[in-house]
Each structure stands twice: as C-alpha cells, then as structure tokens.
C-alpha cells in the first residue's frame, strides 16, 4: 500500500469519525448522545427543621428528576456533597414517582437494608456516590427491580445509609444485601440490618435479617 | 434493561461541570441558609446554657435517693441486739494512737445510730411472759399515789 493510499484511508476514517454523534466524553458541552437509565429517578431532600411549626411534609421536597447518565452527573456535580449538608438532612433518590415514605403503596410491603456509618469518616461522599451508581446502574439488583430507592441521613450519632426494597422476599433481599455490603466496602465486622416497613411504628423494632 | 457498572458510570463522568436541569444555585443557597440558622441557634443555646442541659438533681424527682448500707445487728445469747456502726476515720485513728476509745467518737456513733431507721427482731428464745429477761428491766407499774377527785373537791378553800 502506497503512502497516498494510506492517507486516503486515514481521511476516510477521520470523515467517518466526524459523522459519529458526539458523546459526553468527546464534547462535554455539546454532546448529542445520552446514556439512558433503566428508570426515571427523583432526587428528594429533607431539610432540617428550623422552626417548630414545620411538619415532615414541609421539610421533604423533590429537587429534580433524571433519566440519563449525563443528567445524573450534572446533578451530582452541582448539589452539595454529603459532608457539606447540615445535621438532620436527608438525600433520597427514588424510582419514578415513588415517595420516600413507607406509607407509599410501592413501599408498604417492603423494607430497608440499613447501615450506620459510625464516626466522622471522610469517605461518606465516596460511599454515597458508589451507592447511587450501584442503584441507578441497576447492578445491585440481580433480576427484576426490587429496589425502590436509597436514602442518606446525616446524623450526629452516625450517618445512615438505607436501601429501600419493594418486598420482603428473603432470598432476593439476601442477594441485594450481599452486594450492598460490597458497595459500602464493609468487612466482616460491618453489619447490615433489614427492617420491614411494617415494623416502622414499633419503638424497638428488631431487624428480621442481619448480614 | 440498561445496566451500568460503577466503573462504567465513573468513566462516563464528564471532566467539566455541566449545567443541571434545575436551579442548583437556589438549592445550594437554601442549604447554606439552613446551616447559618442552625449555627446561630447553636450559638444562642451555648450562650444561654454554658453547661448545656444539665438536670438539677432536685428539680424533677425531689431529693436524690441515697442508698445506705443495712446496719449490721448482732444478737447475743441473752437476746440483746447490738447495732454495729461503722467507725469513723477519726475514731479509728484515735484508737490506734491512744489505745482507748475517745469520748467524741462515742458521741459521733450515737448520732449515727439516731439517724438510722432499723428493724430489730428480738430473739424470742429467752423472752417469756413470766420471767423478765433481765432483773434490772423490771418496771414497777404499780401506782404509788393515786389522785382522789372527791377529796380534791372537798378542799378547805370552798368552806
């Protein structure tokens, strides 16, 4: 093959490259292709009460929705990271129109995998991001979507992660719990606890599954 | 079904900050405002309560309950029960130095006895209805001098 022929071929390749649609990686401002997520997700925020007259419904508000990877990153880049949030704040990311309340029809028969991160570790931002990525990427769910949402609660005694499920199917929950432990980088000492929402009103509810 | 691993999603993260589909500036300002309000409240609380919420011991529950050890009571073969009080440090020191029991120490132990409420169960073995436990304890309850009401009425003053 002559040099001219090679040059022509290279030109042809470069022309074909120009025809490919721009992605977020090739042009972060003017990309055309977006990576769709399996579901639409809603970001909710619970504001800490600064006035005694404020009720739970006043404090919990939807912030925005996203259904592509690119929209997700745009949101994450612009909202405060968990360590910047005031105490008694919550971030909730829930599927579709599911409200982050156990009374919601989609949550009523399910429960939550819960983990409390003791101490003021700086890795809360990383763990929250890993949890979000595992949830919206649907890799924490094996088959059909058992997960309704995920919650991060900023508390004085220790920040809490909770993965909300739509059912109490033990085998499915154990699979999800095992993956959730990997996402949170938990060792043998770290315990995940599953609480069904049916026991949400009990004062000293005990977990039905511990991993 | 669309699935992305954590690494794939991280790979898709743009290097530049993108514009979100909502007013993120307002959202951040709300959170900043809440943080400022909470910090102000915390400051006010600390200036009002330098020691924090510290419960007064006598505010809700009356006097605090102090547990006293049960006094040790020994009963001898004659049926007399003796209260053995704890010797004070001064008293013990005095005994160690002088070898005798000082008077002050006795007074202290007497006052401590008076403060204690104790239940003494007598040894019924040596107590009977017919015979007193100790002859020194016989109390003569026979009336020596009676008061005659009629004699008092017929006094010399009336006549």
């Amino acid at each position: 093959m002559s040099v001219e022929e090679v040059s022509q071929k290279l030109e042809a390749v470069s022309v074909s490259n120009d025809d490919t649609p721009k992605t977020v990686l090739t042009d972060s401002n003017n990309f055309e292709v977006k990576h769709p997520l399996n579901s639409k997700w809603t970001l909710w925020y619970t504001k800490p009460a600064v006035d005694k007259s404020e009720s739970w419904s006043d404090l919990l508000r939807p912030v925005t929705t996203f259904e592509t990877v690119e929209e997700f990153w745009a949101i994450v880049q612009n909202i405060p990271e968990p360590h910047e949030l005031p105490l008694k704040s919550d971030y909730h990311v829930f599927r579709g129109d599911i409200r982050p309340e156990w009374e919601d029809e989609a949550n009523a028969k399910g429960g939550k995998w819960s983990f409390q991160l003791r101490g003021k570790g700086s890795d809360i931002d990383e763990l929250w991001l890993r949890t979000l990525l595992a949830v919206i990427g649907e890799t924490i769910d094996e088959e059909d979507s058992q997960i309704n949402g995920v919650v991060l609660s900023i508390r004085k005694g220790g920040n809490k992660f909770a993965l909300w499920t739509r059912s109490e199917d033990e085998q499915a929950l154990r699979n999800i719990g095992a993956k959730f432990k990997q996402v949170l980088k938990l060792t043998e000492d770290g315990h995940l606890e599953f609480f069904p929402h049916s026991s949400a009103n009990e004062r000293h509810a005990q977990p039905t599954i511990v991993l | 079904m669309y699935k992305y691993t954590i690494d794939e999603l991280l790979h898709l993260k743009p290097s530049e900050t993108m514009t979100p589909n909502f007013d993120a500036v307002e959202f951040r300002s709300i959170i900043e405002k809440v943080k400022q309000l909470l910090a102000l409240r915390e400051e006010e609380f600390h200036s009002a309560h330098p020691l924090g919420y510290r419960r007064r011991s006598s505010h809700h529950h009356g006097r605090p309950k102090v547990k006293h050890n049960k006094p040790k009571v020994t009963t001898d073969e004659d049926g007399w029960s003796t209260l053995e009080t704890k010797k004070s440090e001064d008293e013990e020191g005095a005994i160690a130095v002088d070898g005798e029991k000082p008077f002050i120490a006795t007074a202290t132990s007497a006052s401590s006895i008076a403060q204690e409420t104790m239940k003494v169960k007598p040894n019924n073995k040596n107590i009977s209805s017919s015979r007193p436990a100790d002859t020194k304890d016989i109390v003569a309850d026979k009336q020596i001098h009676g008061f005659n009401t009629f004699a008092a009425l017929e006094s010399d003053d009336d006549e």
Side-chain angles (χ1 to χ4, degrees):
Chain A
M1 190 182 284
S2 69
V3 176
E4 279 183 13
E5 281 174 345
V6 170
S7 301
Q8 279 176 356
K9 284 216 168 190
L10 273 173
E11 276 177 22
V13 168
S14 64
V15 166
S16 66
N17 273 350
D18 282 340
D19 287 343
T20 54
K22 292 171 186 171
T23 67
V24 71
L25 296 174
T26 54
D27 189 342
S28 59
N29 289 321
N30 303 307
F31 57 90
E32 294 151 2
V33 173
K34 289 185 178 181
H35 296 78
L37 295 171
N38 204 42
S39 298
K40 185 179 91 174
W41 297 86
T42 305
L43 169 69
W44 301 70
Y45 175 67
T46 307
K47 183 175 79 72
V50 288
D51 193 332
K52 283 181 181 174
S53 63
E54 290 177 306
S55 67
W56 164 253
S57 56
D58 297 329
L59 303 173
L60 175 69
R61 292 291 162 133
V63 179
T64 186
T65 58
F66 57 94
E67 47 192 337
T68 66
V69 177
E70 288 72 18
E71 287 170 355
F72 165 77
W73 281 120
I75 292 165
V76 167
Q77 284 175 331
N78 285 279
I79 59 172
E81 288 190 300
H83 79 271
E84 297 175 279
L85 293 176
L87 285 176
K88 295 184 182 175
S89 291
D90 297 332
Y91 269 149
H92 319 252
V93 174
F94 272 71
R95 203 184 289 278
D97 298 323
I98 301 172
R99 286 182 66 84
E101 295 168 334
W102 56 265
E103 297 93 334
D104 190 288
E105 203 175 295
N107 294 323
K109 291 177 183 173
K112 62 178 179 186
W113 275 113
S114 182
F115 174 70
Q116 190 162 19
L117 188 66
R118 302 276 180 193
K120 288 185 176 178
S122 58
D123 51 356
I124 183 176
D125 297 345
E126 187 205 344
L127 294 180
W128 173 240
L129 181 61
R130 281 175 60 84
T131 306
L132 283 181
L133 296 176
V135 170
I136 65 164
E138 309 276 2
T139 47
I140 211 163
D141 242 344
E142 269 295 312
E143 291 152 18
D144 64 333
S145 304
Q146 277 283 335
I147 292 165
N148 282 348
V150 61
V151 182
L152 173 68
S153 305
I154 307 296
R155 298 293 183 272
K156 198 176 184 179
N159 301 313
K160 286 182 194 169
F161 292 83
L163 193 63
W164 286 43
T165 62
R166 69 173 186 183
S167 78
E168 292 183 51
D169 178 4
E170 187 166 343
Q171 193 49 52
L173 289 176
R174 284 186 179 277
N175 293 338
I176 291 167
K179 287 198 174 176
F180 191 28
K181 277 188 92 166
Q182 289 175 3
V183 170
L184 292 173
K185 297 181 177 178
L186 293 185
T187 55
E188 290 292 314
D189 302 334
H191 292 296
L192 272 187
E193 294 176 324
F194 183 82
F195 296 92
H197 292 316
S198 53
S199 68
N201 271 339
E202 292 173 23
R203 210 176 226 188
H204 302 291
Q206 294 295 314
T208 52
I209 312 171
V210 178
L211 280 183
Chain B
M1 185 176 185
Y2 298 109
K3 282 198 174 196
Y4 304 91
T5 63
I6 291 175
D7 289 335
E8 283 170 347
L9 288 169
L10 284 171
H11 183 68
L12 288 172
K13 183 181 179 181
S15 53
E16 293 173 31
T17 304
M18 296 193 297
T19 310
N21 55 359
F22 72 106
D23 191 349
V25 177
E26 196 193 341
F27 181 64
R28 290 189 81 101
S29 71
I30 289 170
I31 291 177
E32 276 307 312
K33 200 174 174 183
V34 168
K35 281 169 85 171
Q36 284 173 5
L37 276 170
L38 291 174
L40 196 70
R41 275 173 60 178
E42 183 111 340
E43 204 174 298
E44 280 174 4
F45 173 81
H46 282 297
S47 60
H49 309 278
L51 297 172
Y53 278 127
R54 210 170 156 182
R55 182 180 66 83
R56 276 176 56 196
S57 60
S58 59
H59 183 62
H60 293 294
H61 308 289
R63 287 182 65 188
K65 289 176 183 173
V66 180
K67 192 191 174 204
H68 293 286
N69 288 330
K70 199 175 175 184
K72 192 180 177 187
V73 176
T74 51
T75 306
D76 62 15
E77 56 184 10
D78 293 330
W80 287 98
S81 296
T82 309
L83 173 70
E84 290 183 10
T85 53
K86 190 185 175 186
K87 288 174 184 173
S88 66
E89 284 179 14
D90 294 342
E91 185 187 344
E92 282 173 0
I95 291 167
V97 172
D98 302 329
E100 286 181 10
K101 199 174 180 181
F103 176 73
I104 295 169
T106 315
T108 311
S109 63
S111 66
S112 67
I113 292 169
Q115 286 172 359
E116 297 286 351
T117 306
M118 52 177 279
K119 288 180 183 175
V120 179
K121 192 178 178 185
N123 186 355
N124 291 333
K125 187 175 73 176
N126 297 319
I127 300 174
S128 66
S129 59
S130 60
R131 184 171 66 86
D134 193 325
T135 49
K136 284 183 278 184
D137 287 349
I138 298 170
V139 178
D141 56 358
K142 195 173 83 178
Q143 207 167 12
I144 296 166
H145 178 72
F147 179 72
N148 191 335
T149 317
F150 294 105
L153 286 170
E154 293 171 7
S155 66
D156 293 340
D157 297 341
D158 294 339
E159 289 178 359

